[in-house]
Amino acid sequence: MKEYMFLLLLVVCSAKPYRKSAQFMAKAPQFMIMNDMMLNDEDDDDNNALFPIKRTVTRRPAKPTTDMPPVCPFGCQCYLRVVQCSDLGLTSIPNKIPSDTRLLDLQNNKIKEVKENDLKGLTSLSALFLNNNKLSKVHPKAFQDIKKLKRLYLSHNQLTEVPAKLPKSLAELRIHDNRVKKVQKEAFKGMHFLHVLEMSANPLDNAGIEPGAFEGMTVFHVRIAEAKLTSIPKELPSSIYELHLDHNKISAVELEDFIRYKDLQRLGLGYNKIKEIENGSLANTPNLREIHLENNKLKKVPPGLSDLKYLQVVYLHANSIVKVDVNDFCPTESRVKKSLYSGISLFSNPVKHWEVQPATFRCVAGRNSVHLGNFRK
């Protein structure tokens, strides 16, 4: 027994220190490897005591920097690349706007002009709000440094024409409630990303839209309401999905008015003076889903509604319609596929609703989708 214990003690004393093999390290989890590296860094002769000796760590002095934080214009608030200078009574665009500004809010001031160098260096600007000022002039080179601008709000000012050389990157342009009487040729040329064009509440008539004014642009939503249009503009971009021309002086819809608007889905012609819609004119808008013709002077339901298979909403209230035929809204053949109407308004018309046959609304989603009656002389 003594010999056995002696041999065991001899084996233990002659064993080599334990070291992790390369194969084990390759298969070990990452946290084990990191922990092992940290222990190895601290495992030396000077740190074996029960209470390790603290070392003095020599750190290299930080290099002096000359970079200063961006200066915020006086009176404005700057935070996360947003500069808010609204409601300050400013008469001009302030200086020293941080170059990395993405949103610049200058609305509700008294700014009269955008000069050539007012926006110089703001290459990251994506939104500019200048609505509700006294703008009457925008320099043609004011936007020459801005290549990423997506939203430009110029509503409620005193502009007499669309500013020249607007950024091609615009997705939303609002010039609502100005004094625009003229849209010059190629005013929107190269704007292939524009989604919304708002030009309502301007004294703009058909003669003020020069030929080629909308040439070379792509836009989906156009609104020219509360203007002086006497007919539907025929040179708008063919890409439009929504066209709103309500509150104008349009008196008729002619056959060629919608020839180039094949993708039109929503049409707003309410509050005009329309007396007649020429037969076949709506056939040029096969994708139409909603049409507003309320508050006009129509004497009958517009022809061609039953042929529009996607049409779901029709506003015809407050007209002079005296009769509704059984096939005015629905196709004559039952096998023809037609989307069900979700809304048909015929109230405030002199039609005798008790004379309207129930089959007239055979392609309506439900009885609550039709509104009749309430006519007052």
Side-chain angles (χ1 to χ4, degrees), residues 57-117:
V57 179
T58 305
R59 300 182 182 272
R60 294 181 180 179
K63 294 181 179 180
T65 178
T66 57
D67 297 336
M68 298 295 293
V71 179
C72 190
F74 179 77
C76 303
Q77 297 182 10
C78 302
Y79 182 70
L80 293 178
R81 299 183 182 181
V82 174
V83 179
Q84 185 176 9
C85 303
S86 60
D87 302 278
L88 295 177
L90 300 174
T91 57
S92 61
I93 296 178
N95 298 323
K96 299 181 179 180
I97 299 173
S99 59
D100 62 346
T101 300
R102 291 189 178 180
L103 187 152
L104 178 56
D105 184 0
L106 293 165
Q107 60 184 327
N108 302 326
N109 282 292
K110 300 179 181 179
I111 301 172
K112 297 181 179 180
E113 181 182 0
V114 180
K115 300 178 182 179
E116 179 179 355
N117 296 322

Side-chain angles (χ1 to χ4, degrees), residues 63 91 122 185 192 196 213 262 272 299 302 365:
K63 294 181 179 180
T91 57
L122 302 180
K185 184 179 180 180
H192 300 299
V196 177
K262 302 294 184 181
N272 276 279
K299 295 183 179 180

Side-chain angles (χ1 to χ4, degrees), residues 349-366:
N349 279 289
V351 61
K352 298 178 181 179
H353 60 274
W354 56 88
E355 294 182 356
V356 180
Q357 299 184 32
T360 303
F361 306 113
R362 58 187 179 274
C363 57
V364 177

